[in-house]
Amino acid sequence: MGRLSFVPKQMICILVALHALAPLVFAAEKVELLAEAERAGIVVYWDSLSQTGLLEKNGHQISFRAGDNLVLLDNKKLLLANAPSLSNGTLLVSHDFMTDAESFFKTESAHMPYRIGAILIDPGHGGKDPGASQVFRENGKTLAIREKDVTLAVGKMLYARLTAAYPDKQIIMTRDTDTFLSLGERTDIANAVKLKKNEAILYISVHVNASLDKKASGYEVWYLSPGYRRTVINRADADNDTTLFPILNAMTEEEYTAESILIAKFIMDGLAAQIGDLSKGRGIKAEEWFVVRNANMPSVLVELGFLTNYAEAQNLSSQQYLQKAALGIYNGVSDFITHFERSRGFTQSK
């Protein structure tokens, strides 16, 4: 069964130098990473919460944690290097590291292209679990709106767009009717999806918010907090090495976090473009959501708005508004797919 994995079998390789096999000379002088990367045409992704980053160019990636001398090349080689460090909120890097990084980005890759093989859409709640609900009057009529209905409607709209755009990918819904599923059953569905070699899967959970504060409004996207750690690789992937296993597992989990943050950012941008001033973006947030914490893949939870806010409840009862929300999520997912497949993927499948 295909599954995302940071280090495939038979490809674990720990080296002690970034520049070929020669010893690395740690340079004392540091320069700003963002400025050097812009000059060299290197794309930089940085998560200030987990203090992890990724450099990307020509289909290659260098993953790092600020201040940690272990870096990862193309998700298969752990190396000792003078990695970027953080000083007063600025990422600094040595000239030697940038020189070696640029040399690495010029190398040819022999790997098969990575692709998103499956997208799992999870409409929240359902059946006996209605989720949040709201009753309001409009044009003399009493209207009732339930979270489970909103999430299913948006899930179906998103499913239709993704299946039309990506006939070669598995587009899966955890539920397509008013059915109850436990949180564990939802992630079990995701973890059981069969993937081909070099394929990855994304998990998109759709929900609606509620608050005691009736003025609370806006949409937001959540990802799993970096503080929560899962076992996401098999011990066999580390050749049952008890020393290597926790290192590889931690770096794989960090890669899932980095990818989830990217998906969240793309979706937030997509929602903002479609919804405009009809609602406001509340940002990207981290939490230990059970609904995504047991999914061994990049996962996000989208909160479409607050049913407890009168104006927002009206929006969420509008099919036109829900179409905008679904299109925003679709555009975000599509942008991530383009990015992932262009860069040959951040993670490899077993």
Side-chain angles (χ1 to χ4, degrees):
M1 177 175 68
R3 181 60 50 213
L4 285 173
S5 177
F6 212 61
V7 182
K9 295 177 182 177
Q10 293 92 35
M11 295 187 72
I12 297 172
C13 180
I14 299 182
L15 305 179
V16 293
L18 180 60
H19 185 60
L21 295 178
L24 179 69
V25 177
F26 290 86
E29 184 182 355
K30 297 278 183 123
V31 293
E32 290 191 18
L33 173 60
L34 294 182
E36 290 298 300
E38 182 178 4
R39 175 190 59 77
I42 299 171
V43 179
V44 180
Y45 297 98
W46 170 249
D47 174 31
S48 59
L49 187 61
S50 63
Q51 296 203 342
T52 58
L54 183 141
L55 309 180
E56 175 189 298
K57 185 177 179 180
N58 296 334
H60 291 291
Q61 299 90 35
I62 300 176
S63 304
F64 66 91
R65 179 194 289 273
D68 190 339
N69 286 329
L70 266 180
V71 299
L72 192 73
L73 303 187
D74 282 349
N75 310 310
K76 67 183 179 67
K77 292 183 180 181
L78 280 172
L79 308 176
L80 287 174
N82 192 7
S85 59
L86 194 64
S87 177
N88 296 322
T90 301
L91 280 169
L92 301 177
V93 67
S94 70
H95 286 292
D96 283 351
F97 181 89
M98 290 303 302
T99 298
D100 293 333
E102 290 185 59
S103 296
F104 169 67
F105 288 137
K106 292 177 182 178
T107 61
E108 292 293 328
S109 174
H111 301 309
M112 293 175 60
Y114 308 141
R115 65 189 298 271
I116 301 298
I119 304 167
L120 192 129
I121 304 166
D122 177 33
H125 304 277
K128 66 181 182 181
D129 175 16
S133 61
Q134 178 66 283
V135 177
F136 61 93
R137 291 186 63 80
E138 185 176 82
N139 299 325
K141 296 182 180 180
T142 300
L143 301 177
I145 180 171
R146 300 176 298 186
E147 179 177 4
K148 68 174 184 178
D149 299 325
V150 173
T151 60
L152 183 58
V154 171
K156 286 182 174 181
M157 294 171 186
L158 179 58
Y159 176 86
R161 290 187 179 277
L162 287 172
T163 51
Y166 301 103
D168 60 328
K169 303 184 189 301
Q170 299 182 69
I171 313 300
I172 304 164
M173 293 185 70
T174 55
R175 68 180 184 96
D176 57 9
T177 59
D178 186 15
T179 306
F180 173 78
L181 290 172
S182 69
L183 298 180
E185 287 174 320
R186 296 171 190 271
T187 50
D188 285 346
I189 292 171
N191 292 331
V193 174
K194 294 185 181 298
L195 298 171
K196 296 177 182 178
K197 187 176 182 179
N198 285 32
E199 285 189 339
I201 180 173
L202 308 179
Y203 187 105
I204 313 296
S205 187
V206 182
H207 285 254
V208 175
N209 234 328
S211 174
L212 294 176
D213 180 2
K214 304 301 182 183
K215 295 181 180 180
S217 65
Y219 52 88
E220 56 197 22
V221 184
W222 294 77
Y223 66 95
L224 187 64
S225 168
Y228 182 86
R229 288 298 178 209
R230 299 168 285 185
T231 299
V232 294
I233 67 171
N234 295 325
R235 291 189 180 275
D237 293 339
D239 291 341
N240 291 308
D241 186 320
T242 56
T243 301
L244 184 58
F245 175 78
I247 297 174
L248 296 181
N249 189 75
M251 295 191 78
T252 305
E253 175 60 88
E254 288 167 7
E255 195 71 9
Y256 287 165
T257 299
E259 291 172 350
S260 298
I261 291 169
L262 277 181
I263 298 170
K265 180 184 182 304
F266 284 134
I267 289 177
M268 282 295 296
D269 291 345
L271 289 171
Q274 293 301 316
I275 292 175
D277 59 4
L278 293 176
S279 185
K280 63 181 181 181
R282 292 167 58 92
I284 300 170
K285 303 182 180 182
E287 184 57 86
E288 295 176 11
W289 292 103
F290 183 87
V291 72
V292 298
R293 78 184 187 191
N294 287 338
N296 295 334
M297 61 202 66
S299 314
V300 295
L301 187 148
V302 183
E303 293 278 9
L304 297 171
F306 285 77
L307 278 182
T308 45
N309 180 289
Y310 180 80
E312 204 136 271
Q314 289 180 306
N315 282 339
L316 293 169
S317 68
S318 162
Q319 287 298 300
Q320 184 179 9
Y321 185 87
L322 298 187
Q323 285 283 3
K324 290 178 180 291
L327 180 56
I329 298 172
Y330 163 79
N331 285 338
V333 172
S334 179
D335 286 345
F336 178 82
I337 291 173
T338 299
H339 167 80
F340 185 96
E341 295 183 347
R342 181 202 60 183
S343 67
R344 303 176 190 174
F346 294 147
T347 55
Q348 288 184 273
S349 57
K350 292 191 240 182

